[in-house]
Amino acid sequence: MRTQLRYELRPIAALHAGGVAAWEAKSRVPLDQLGSVSGFGSIPDNVAIWSLADDTSANSLRDALVADGFAPVGEQGALGNGTPMVPDLRNRDPSNPWRSAVGAASFVMTHGNAVVQAARPEVLPILMDGQRSVAENTIVATALTGLEQSAGDGWIVQAMVISPAFGAGRVDFSSFTVPDGGSSAQMREKIEASLEASAKGIPFYLGGVIADVQLDGPGVAIALVYPDCTTAGAAAEAIAKRWVETMPETAQGKMTVTSGDSVNGLCSALVTVFGSSEASSVNPIFKALFEMDIRGQFSVLQIGAVD
C-alpha cells in the first residue's frame, strides 16, 4: 500500500482504490500469486506487465478473463473487453484493474508467466516479438547489480529506471515573478541564485535505478552507472552530500556510500538511506523523495559541477 511509482498503472491504481479483497475478486488473481507489476507510458496509453507465479497461473488468468467477457481481437492472440481508447462510463470501476475510472477497455496477451495489459491491442504483438529485455541493457544491468548489492536480503518494494535526463537542472520558476512590495533588483537576485544552484550537482551518469527498499526498516537505494569505479565512488560521495544538504529531516537516516562491482567495464555509485520507522506500510524517506520530484524540487541527482 506504500506504492507511489507508476500509480497510473491499472493494477496499482485499482489496488489503491478498492483494497485487496475487491482487487482479488475483480482481477481474478490472488495477490500472493502476483510477483510484480512493471510498466511504462502515460495515461491513458500505458502498458502494465503482470508477473505471475508461473505459466499455468498466466494461462488460468487468460481463461478467467474469457469467462468474464474478454473476446479475441485481431489474429495474433490478443483479448479485449471493449473499444480501444474510448471511455465507457457504464463500466466505470476504479477498483477493477481491467477497467478504469472512466471504464476504458483493456487488451491482454500472455507470454510465459507474464500477462501484458495495454490500452490498444496493436501494441501487444510488438511487445511479444522477442526483442531484448531492458534488463539486458548494459547500463541497466550494471545498475541492477549494484542495487542487488545494496538491497542484500531486503525487499525491493518499488523502483524506477532513470536516464541522464532525470538529472537535468531544475530552475525555480517562481524566481521570475516580483514579490509583493519587491523590486526588479530582488527578482534578479532570486533568478541568479536559482541559476547558480541549477549549475551545481553530481558527475554526469549514464543511467540508473532508484528504489524503495525494506530491510530492518524502510529506506531508499540509489544506483547510478558510471564509466569507471573511481568516478562512481566520487559520485556516490557527492550524492550523499547533496542528500544531507537538500532533503528534509523526514528523509534523513543511516547512510551507506560505496561503489558497486564492475560490470562490462561500467560501475555503479551506490547510496542507501535507511530510517528507523517500524511501520512497513509507509516509507517516509521514499515518500519525501517522490513528493519532491513531483514538485520539481528533488535535486540530489542533478547533473552539474561538483561542489
Side-chain angles (χ1 to χ4, degrees):
M1 295 308 295
R2 77 192 200 196
T3 307
Q4 292 174 282
L5 293 176
R6 309 312 301 177
Y7 184 84
E8 67 268 30
L9 294 178
R10 293 192 194 181
I12 303 299
L15 183 58
H16 280 269
V20 174
W23 190 90
E24 290 187 324
K26 296 176 182 181
S27 71
R28 295 302 193 99
V29 177
L31 196 57
D32 62 4
Q33 294 295 304
L34 181 66
S36 65
V37 175
S38 56
F40 57 90
S42 300
I43 292 176
D45 196 14
N46 51 10
V47 172
I49 302 168
W50 305 51
S51 176
L52 302 183
D54 48 41
D55 294 14
T56 300
S57 298
N59 292 330
S60 295
L61 175 56
R62 178 185 172 88
D63 293 342
L65 293 178
V66 170
D68 280 348
F70 274 71
V73 178
E75 300 178 353
Q76 307 214 20
L79 298 174
N81 62 351
T83 304
M85 305 291 286
V86 175
D88 182 357
L89 297 182
R90 295 170 303 173
N91 287 306
R92 179 184 182 277
D93 187 353
S95 64
N96 184 344
W98 307 114
R99 285 294 177 177
S100 71
V102 296
S106 284
F107 299 87
V108 301
M109 288 183 72
T110 59
H111 181 73
N113 70 320
V115 175
V116 183
Q117 175 186 18
R120 295 180 292 127
E122 60 267 27
V123 307
L124 293 171
I126 299 173
L127 297 172
M128 299 291 180
D129 70 357
Q131 295 185 37
R132 293 175 59 201
S133 164
V134 68
E136 297 177 61
N137 176 279
T138 303
I139 295 170
V140 176
T142 304
L144 292 177
T145 298
L147 182 61
E148 188 174 13
Q149 288 179 242
S150 298
D153 295 329
W155 288 85
I156 297 174
V157 180
Q158 54 190 322
M160 61 178 172
V161 176
I162 64 170
S163 75
F166 191 83
R170 305 182 185 198
V171 176
D172 180 7
F173 289 100
S174 66
S175 302
F176 291 79
T177 59
V178 179
D180 292 340
S183 66
S184 58
Q186 289 176 309
M187 181 177 71
R188 177 178 176 177
E189 289 176 2
K190 288 182 65 178
I191 292 174
E192 289 176 345
S194 181
L195 292 172
E196 182 182 2
S198 69
K200 296 178 181 178
I202 65 174
F204 178 87
Y205 46 88
L206 304 175
V209 176
I210 302 172
D212 168 359
V213 179
Q214 181 75 24
L215 290 174
D216 294 335
V220 166
I222 298 171
L224 299 186
V225 179
Y226 286 90
D228 59 83
C229 289
T230 299
T231 306
E237 295 290 345
I239 294 168
K241 182 174 183 290
R242 289 182 65 84
W243 186 284
V244 171
E245 293 175 346
T246 65
M247 295 296 285
E249 184 61 32
T250 55
Q252 302 300 332
K254 181 181 178 182
M255 188 174 289
T256 301
V257 181
T258 187
S259 58
D261 294 333
S262 178
V263 179
N264 295 324
L266 302 179
C267 196
S268 51
L270 305 178
V271 176
T272 60
V273 186
F274 283 95
S276 57
S277 172
E278 296 181 358
S280 60
S281 61
V282 64
N283 181 346
I285 298 176
F286 190 85
K287 184 173 185 287
L289 183 162
F290 180 80
E291 291 178 350
M292 290 182 71
D293 184 54
I294 290 294
R295 296 194 298 268
Q297 298 173 345
F298 180 66
S299 63
V300 173
L301 304 186
Q302 179 175 293
I303 295 168
V306 180
D307 293 339

